[in-house]
């Protein structure tokens, strides 16, 4: 047996265990769910009814549209705020910016359950804001609980620091010499931003947006604690189908739908990375 063959066999021997683990824990459940999603609950025969249910039943269609609304608003607001924050942290040298740069990641280290409950005690109609208002004779009821706006605010708590961290890392990779060179040739702040900073950081912005999108499509904790009974986020709808109604085939179909929605974002992420050299031109 040649030395090269031995090395190849040794390499395959080290890779195969990890490959089998991935196949067992990731690929098999996905394939199993896809197959189950096309099976009739009673007969086991092939059917499209499990998918049609989520696009024809009014309550389920409302859940889908509601989820997309919450996710897109969360992504848009989170990315805009995170980008502005990242620009401030990258190009402002002051004690305030250093303090913000130290503290803005704190929400990432707060357990989701604790953060949601803390927010609930503040924004609910009988929460801290309402009680402070009553001290001055004002009955403040924000109406954020069991409403999309409350879920979005809580989503921003988690996602703005995460997106800002990714974008800040991308902005940090832009050499100061490029910025200084643009200014030396007479470019103003706006021109420097649009012609140099934005093109060099847009890849990181898109990647951050894809991660925020995928994170929120299947979110459960926040909508479970702060969301209403109707409409519901898809994560809660999936929980109900699986645990309350014991509709396992419909649960599998909804899982595939959520996977396909996330795969669009994943495709953008992959395309962005494949085009990395083009972003840098």
């Amino acid at each position: 047996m040649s030395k090269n063959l031995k090395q190849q066999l040794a390499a395959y021997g080290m890779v195969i265990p990890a490959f089998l683990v991935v196949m067992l824990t990731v690929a098999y459940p996905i394939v199993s769910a896809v197959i189950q999603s096309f099976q009739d609950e009673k007969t086991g025969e092939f059917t499209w009814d499990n998918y049609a249910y989520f696009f024809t039943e009014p309550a389920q269609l409302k859940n889908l549209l509601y989820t997309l609304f919450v996710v897109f608003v969360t992504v848009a607001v989170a990315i805009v705020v995170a980008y502005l924050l990242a620009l401030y942290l990258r190009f402002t040298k002051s004690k305030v910016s250093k303090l913000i740069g130290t503290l803005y990641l704190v929400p990432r280290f707060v357990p989701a359950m604790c953060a949601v409950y803390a927010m609930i005690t503040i924004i609910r109609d009988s929460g801290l804001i309402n009680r402070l208002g009553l001290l001055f004779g004002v009955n403040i009821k924000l109406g954020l609980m069991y409403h999309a706006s409350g879920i979005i605010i809580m989503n921003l708590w988690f996602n703005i620091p995460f997106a800002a961290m990714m974008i800040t890392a991308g902005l940090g990779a832009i050499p100061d010499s490029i910025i200084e060179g643009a200014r030396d040739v007479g470019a103003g702040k706006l021109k420097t931003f649009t012609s140099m900073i934005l093109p060099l950081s847009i890849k990181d912005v898109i990647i951050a947006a894809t991660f925020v999108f995928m994170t929120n499509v299947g979110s459960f904790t926040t909508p479970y604690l702060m969301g209403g009974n109707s409409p519901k986020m898809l994560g809660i709808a999936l929980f109900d189908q699986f645990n309350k109604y014991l509709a396992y085939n419909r649960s599998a179909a909804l899982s595939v739908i959520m996977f396909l929605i996330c795969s669009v974002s994943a495709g953008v992420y992959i395309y962005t990375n494949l085009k990395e050299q083009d972003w840098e031109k």
Side-chain angles (χ1 to χ4, degrees), residues 261-277:
I261 293 174
C262 290
S263 67
V264 176
S265 182
V268 173
Y269 171 80
I270 294 172
Y271 176 82
T272 302
N273 280 280
L274 291 175
K275 294 292 184 177
E276 183 174 0
Q277 293 182 351

Side-chain angles (χ1 to χ4, degrees), residues 48-151:
W48 289 96
D49 292 345
N50 297 320
Y51 288 94
Y53 171 75
F54 293 102
F55 294 98
T56 58
E57 208 281 325
Q60 298 301 327
L61 182 59
K62 184 181 290 187
N63 291 340
L64 176 61
L65 297 176
Y66 177 74
T67 299
L68 293 176
F69 169 76
V70 171
V71 170
F72 278 114
V73 173
T74 299
V75 171
V77 177
I79 294 302
V80 170
V81 175
Y83 193 71
L84 294 175
L85 176 60
L87 287 172
Y88 175 76
L89 295 176
R90 171 64 177 84
F91 297 108
T92 302
K93 308 298 181 183
S94 66
K95 292 183 179 179
V96 176
S97 65
K98 290 180 180 180
L99 179 62
I100 295 176
T102 303
L103 297 179
Y104 83 101
L105 286 178
V106 170
R108 298 296 302 171
F109 298 96
V110 179
M113 190 73 71
C114 297
V116 174
Y117 271 118
M119 184 66 75
I120 289 175
T121 61
I122 295 174
I123 68 173
R124 66 184 178 184
D125 290 347
S126 60
L128 177 62
I129 294 177
N130 178 262
R131 294 181 181 182
L132 290 176
L134 291 176
L135 293 176
F136 299 94
V138 181
N139 188 15
I140 302 175
K141 293 184 180 294
L142 299 177
L144 297 177
M145 288 296 299
Y146 315 117
H147 192 270
S149 56
I151 298 176

Side-chain angles (χ1 to χ4, degrees), residues 3-235:
K3 184 177 180 180
N4 290 337
L5 182 58
K6 290 182 179 180
Q7 291 177 344
Q8 290 179 356
L9 292 176
Y12 287 130
M14 290 186 287
V15 171
I16 286 176
F19 174 77
L20 293 176
V21 169
V22 171
M23 294 297 295
L24 182 63
T25 60
V26 178
Y28 175 75
I30 291 176
V31 173
S32 177
V34 172
I35 294 174
Q36 190 175 16
S37 70
F38 288 104
Q39 292 178 336
D40 183 85
E41 184 177 356
K42 296 180 179 179
T43 64
E45 296 180 353
F46 177 86
T47 181
W48 289 96
D49 292 345
N50 297 320
Y51 288 94
Y53 171 75
F54 293 102
F55 294 98
T56 58
E57 208 281 325
Q60 298 301 327
L61 182 59
K62 184 181 290 187
N63 291 340
L64 176 61
L65 297 176
Y66 177 74
T67 299
L68 293 176
F69 169 76
V70 171
V71 170
F72 278 114
V73 173
T74 299
V75 171
V77 177
I79 294 302
V80 170
V81 175
Y83 193 71
L84 294 175
L85 176 60
L87 287 172
Y88 175 76
L89 295 176
R90 171 64 177 84
F91 297 108
T92 302
K93 308 298 181 183
S94 66
K95 292 183 179 179
V96 176
S97 65
K98 290 180 180 180
L99 179 62
I100 295 176
T102 303
L103 297 179
Y104 83 101
L105 286 178
V106 170
R108 298 296 302 171
F109 298 96
V110 179
M113 190 73 71
C114 297
V116 174
Y117 271 118
M119 184 66 75
I120 289 175
T121 61
I122 295 174
I123 68 173
R124 66 184 178 184
D125 290 347
S126 60
L128 177 62
I129 294 177
N130 178 262
R131 294 181 181 182
L132 290 176
L134 291 176
L135 293 176
F136 299 94
V138 181
N139 188 15
I140 302 175
K141 293 184 180 294
L142 299 177
L144 297 177
M145 288 296 299
Y146 315 117
H147 192 270
S149 56
I151 298 176
I152 291 171
I153 290 174
M154 199 67 243
N155 287 342
L156 295 177
W157 162 274
F158 295 112
N159 290 289
I160 288 176
F162 172 73
M165 178 181 65
M166 296 189 67
I167 298 172
T168 301
L171 290 173
I174 300 176
D176 291 335
S177 58
I178 293 180
I179 310 300
E180 295 171 356
R183 291 176 179 174
D184 289 340
V185 296
K189 292 182 178 180
L190 181 60
K191 184 63 176 180
T192 301
F193 171 75
T194 56
S195 62
M196 303 299 296
I197 299 174
L198 183 59
L200 291 174
S201 61
I202 191 66
K203 185 199 75 169
D204 301 285
V205 172
I206 294 175
I207 291 176
T210 61
F211 276 101
V212 173
F213 182 91
M214 288 186 288
T215 300
N216 287 280
V217 167
S219 61
F220 179 83
T221 302
T222 298
Y224 182 78
L225 296 175
M226 299 184 67
N229 292 323
S230 180
K232 304 175 182 178
M233 296 284 286
L234 289 182

